[in-house]
Amino acid sequence: MTIPEIASLRRGSSRVRIPPSMDVPMTGRVRRLVDTPPLRRLGSISQLGLVSLVYPGATHSRLEHSLGVYANALRVLDHFSSLDNTFDPLAQEAFIVAALVHDSGHWPFCHPIEDMGNSLSGPNRQLGAGMRKHEDRVAAILRDSEIAVCLQQDWSCTADDVMAILRPKSFADRPQCQLTSRDVSFLASCLSGPIDIDKLDYLQRDSLHAGVPYGRNFDPERIISALCPHPSQPQLAISEKGRTAAEMMVFGRYVMFSEVYWHHTVRAATAMLQRALFALQHETDHSTHPITCDLAAWCDLADADWIAAFRAAAAASSVQTLVEGLFGPSRTLLKRAAEFNVESGGEVHSLLARRPYWWLVECSRSLAKIWSEELGREIDPSLVLIDAPPVKLEVDINIDVITRSGDVMTLGDVSPVASVLANRQFDNHVKRVRVFVPANLRDAIGELTDDANAWVQSGLTRAAELTDDSVV
C-alpha cells in the first residue's frame, strides 16, 4: 500500500510553502486535518513566545513548525522505504498524523508555565483547576474535536495509535492501539529523541526567524540520509557517515539554548511571567480583586487574547508592574544582578538548580529580606526573581552511532565536540542560575561592591539555608 503523502514528495500535488523555501505536500486528507480548529489555532500561537522580546523576528507560529515536522516525517519514512525497512502502512499513517498534531495541545507561553511544575496548584487553590499538560490535551483533542472526525473518515489509524507514538510509555494503557510495541518505540524515537524530526525543524526554523546562524549550521538532508534502525533496540540510530552532521547539529542546539532560548534577557522576561502567574494564583485577595487568573480556561486562547486576559487579571495587583513591563505599551524588563554557571559558579548552581518553583519564590523572598537589611531600604520581594534550571531535563544528546564495521558507539564516544556535552548533563551547560532585579537595585549593588556575583552569592547561600530551614 502506497501512502499518498509519501508519494506526493515526488509528483506534482498541492503544496504549501513555508520558510525557508520549503514545499510541504498537501493531500486532501492532510488539508482537512490542517483546516480543523485545533490546528488552525496553532497559527495564532507563537512558537517562541517571549523570545520575540529580544529577537523581534521570532514571531513564527506553531502551525508553521508543525508543517515543517510533518514534512520531515515524510522524508524520514521515504528514506526508510529506500532501505527496504518499511513500516506497516497503519504505523506510517499514525506517524504522519502524530507529526502534524504533536503541538496541538500547546497554549500561549506553555513551556515556561509547565516548567513551574505543580507550583500553580495547591489545596486552597481553585484558579486554574483542571489544567492538563499539553501532551494530555492532545489526547482529548484527538478524541473530542473535529480531528476525531477526520481520523474516522480519512485515516486507518486511531487516536490510541497516534498517542502511543506521542507518549510511548502509555502504550500498555491504550487498548485500541493497533501498532506493535516495536513500531511504537522506534517511531517515538524518530519524533522525540537525541536527533529527531522535531529538532531537525525547530533548530533551523527558530534560527532563521531569530536572525541568527547558530541553528542552521548543520546539514539536515545528510542527517536524514544517515538515519538507520538500531541493530539491537527498537530506536533510531545514525550511521557513521552522518557523524559530522550530527555533531554540528548537537553543537547548534547547544548554542541555540545558550544564545536564544536561555538568553539572559529572555530569561528575565520568563522569570517575570512566572512570578506574576504565581502571585496571581497564590498571593491575591480575590475578595478585593475579582478578576481571576483562570489558566485552565485560558488554554484555548490565542496569544493576543491570552495576553489581554493576563493584563486584566494583573490590573491593580501587586504584580501589575511585572505584567505591564512584559506586555504593556513600553517594554520594561528586570535586569541581571548576577549569574552562575556550572563551571564558575558550581556551588550556587547546584544549590538552586532543579528546585521546585515554589521553593525559588520562598528563597527570593528571603533574599529580598536579607538585602533590605544590608542596604537599609525596603525591597519589594516580588521584584527579586531567582531563575534556575527547572526540574524537567532536556532530552539527552547522545545518539548511538553505527560504525562501518557494525559496532555501536555513542556520539560522545566518536565525536570530540559532542563528548564534552554528552559526559555532563546538557542542561548544566546551557542553563544558568540568574538573579533579576529592577535597574535601580542593580545599580545600588554595583555601588556597594566591585564583585556583584560574590555579594549576590553570599545572599543566595543564606537565603537558601533560611528557605530549607523554614520548609523542613
Side-chain angles (χ1 to χ4, degrees), residues 23-85:
D23 284 327
V24 180
M26 297 292 287
T27 61
R29 63 180 182 175
V30 167
R31 185 172 293 280
R32 285 187 286 275
L33 267 179
V34 173
D35 284 344
T36 60
L39 291 188
R40 292 285 297 166
R41 187 180 72 92
L42 296 182
S44 60
I45 297 178
S46 168
Q47 170 76 4
L48 292 183
L50 296 168
V51 170
S52 64
L53 292 174
V54 180
Y55 296 98
T59 57
H60 54 300
S61 71
R62 287 202 173 272
L63 176 60
E64 181 185 323
H65 164 63
S66 296
L67 290 172
V69 176
Y70 154 70
N72 283 339
L74 300 185
R75 293 182 177 95
V76 166
L77 290 174
D78 187 48
H79 164 68
F80 281 115
S81 68
S82 71
L83 300 178
D84 294 327
N85 210 329

Side-chain angles (χ1 to χ4, degrees), residues 122-322:
N124 300 317
R125 185 181 71 79
Q126 295 180 346
L127 304 176
M131 278 191 70
R132 292 172 292 182
K133 291 184 177 180
H134 70 272
E135 299 96 339
D136 294 326
R137 280 171 48 81
V138 177
I141 288 169
L142 288 172
R143 288 190 172 86
D144 303 328
S145 74
E146 294 81 354
I147 290 179
V149 177
C150 290
L151 287 180
Q152 184 176 20
Q153 294 179 349
D154 295 332
W155 302 81
S156 58
C157 57
T158 66
D160 272 355
D161 297 330
V162 177
M163 285 307 302
I165 293 173
L166 292 174
R167 302 200 76 174
K169 291 182 179 178
S170 69
F171 171 70
D173 301 322
R174 301 196 178 277
Q176 295 184 31
C177 181
Q178 308 165 81
L179 310 183
T180 67
S181 61
R182 187 172 185 81
D183 281 353
V184 165
S185 296
F186 183 83
L187 292 172
S189 73
C190 293
L191 187 55
S192 180
I195 290 179
D196 58 44
I197 59 174
D198 186 30
K199 295 178 184 66
L200 283 171
D201 183 79
Y202 78 65
L203 286 175
Q204 295 219 331
R205 193 168 307 285
D206 294 351
S207 180
L208 171 73
H209 287 287
V212 298
Y214 318 125
R216 289 176 284 166
N217 290 331
F218 69 93
D219 187 348
E221 296 303 323
R222 181 69 170 178
I223 288 176
I224 289 176
S225 70
L227 296 177
C228 60
H230 194 286
S232 60
Q233 301 177 43
Q235 66 185 39
L236 191 66
I238 192 165
S239 67
E240 191 171 356
K241 73 176 184 178
R243 178 187 64 80
T244 299
E247 190 176 50
M248 293 178 70
M249 179 181 171
V250 165
F251 188 70
R253 182 173 175 234
Y254 163 74
V255 180
M256 283 295 289
F257 266 91
S258 177
E259 301 302 318
V260 178
Y261 309 137
W262 271 69
H263 184 284
H264 67 90
T265 308
V266 173
R267 294 309 302 178
T270 301
M272 292 168 67
L273 176 82
Q274 292 174 329
R275 185 67 180 87
L277 286 170
F278 186 91
L280 291 174
Q281 297 287 54
H282 293 293
E283 300 169 2
T284 302
D285 182 353
H286 295 287
S287 63
T288 59
H289 192 79
I291 300 179
T292 61
C293 178
D294 191 345
L295 290 174
W298 295 359
C299 282
D300 292 321
L301 299 180
D303 278 4
D305 296 329
W306 194 99
I307 290 169
F310 189 35
R311 292 180 69 189
S317 74
S318 62
V319 290
Q320 183 176 17
T321 298
L322 292 177

Side-chain angles (χ1 to χ4, degrees), residues 25 46 85 114 177 204 211 266 296 319 331 335 342 346 382 389 392 394 413 452 456:
S46 168
N85 210 329
E114 289 191 335
C177 181
Q204 295 219 331
V266 173
V319 290
R331 190 193 82 155
K335 303 300 181 181
V342 74
S382 69
K392 183 180 178 181
E394 298 295 331
D413 290 332
V456 172

